Amino acid sequence: MFCKHYILYFFTALLFMSCQGNNKVVEFSETEYTDSVLLAPNNPKESPVCQSSIKLILLQAVEGSQITENVEKINRYIIDEMLPNTRGAKAEDAAKIFVKEQIKEFANSVKNLYYEDLDYFYENNSQSDEEFEENKRFLIDQYCYESKINTEAHIGYADSVVCYKMVAYIYSGGAHPITVTTATSFSLKNGQPIRPVDLFRPETTSALIDRLTQRLMEMQNAESIEELQEMGFLTIADMFISTDMLLESRKIVFHYDPYELAPYVFGDIDIEFSYDELSDLMNS
């Protein structure tokens, strides 16, 4: 075989959450798709594998509801703006297109580099060396690239917001994978993403940054910014208002990826507030 791949595809309806009292107006549907390709198809036992997978959640308006157009806008935004290489794709094709394009990009970007490194390895290592097989396996594993996307969605504030989270896991060599989270709140009233600029008055930017900083200090039991910095926080960048914002039913969550506020070892950071805690900064 010139390439080895496997595909898992299924479509199933997930449990909905109400948007208007007990009336069902929106459902969430899930599609999963996985594929892989060998970089050295003529030697499958020793070939690096490039793999991509996705669990994609999209919305469905219940028949007879008044939000069909807005749900379509949200799905369009997810496909066109949040997923690479899927702009314009039909909802039922988006997962497959994403995976196929991701696999193609992986293979095209690393295949030549892999063969160059493999040639160099054989030129500089003898099969009689005690660690030959172990070193060759290490080289192969370094080119086993992987892309994985998971999505989550649920109803948030006042049953009129969809909280949508997309987590992209990418390993393309190096010491550790890269994880990037996109957290977006969508309004079911107009189908548009809700950004901090839509929620908070422009003149309150400094105050909101101060409160984010203060809350981070509370989370880390720090009494000053200097103490935070000694721990490793806010040394890469100053505090900022993340656009990755979820309007949950009872709280606002500002999400920060690794490296945005602190080194990779600290992982994701979520800073949370009740609505009452920030109500004085919000648009009326």
Side-chain angles (χ1 to χ4, degrees), residues 112-131:
N112 289 338
L113 289 174
Y114 168 68
Y115 280 115
E116 289 176 6
D117 278 356
L118 189 63
D119 289 341
Y120 181 85
F121 174 81
Y122 277 112
E123 289 173 1
N124 293 275
N125 291 271
S126 169
Q127 292 194 27
S128 61
D129 292 345
E130 183 176 345
E131 298 179 346

Side-chain angles (χ1 to χ4, degrees), residues 264-278:
Y264 180 85
V265 67
F266 287 93
D268 293 348
I269 297 172
D270 288 336
I271 302 180
E272 302 178 358
F273 297 91
S274 69
Y275 287 95
D276 285 344
E277 288 178 303
L278 298 181

Side-chain angles (χ1 to χ4, degrees), residues 1-4 38-49 137 140:
M1 295 178 62
F2 289 94
C3 70
K4 177 183 178 183
L38 296 175
L39 287 186
N42 294 327
N43 188 14
K45 291 184 178 181
E46 296 186 352
S47 174
V49 180
R137 186 70 255 173
I140 292 170

Side-chain angles (χ1 to χ4, degrees), residues 162-174:
V162 171
C163 294
Y164 196 94
K165 183 182 286 188
M166 179 177 290
V167 182
Y169 165 101
I170 301 171
Y171 178 75
S172 55

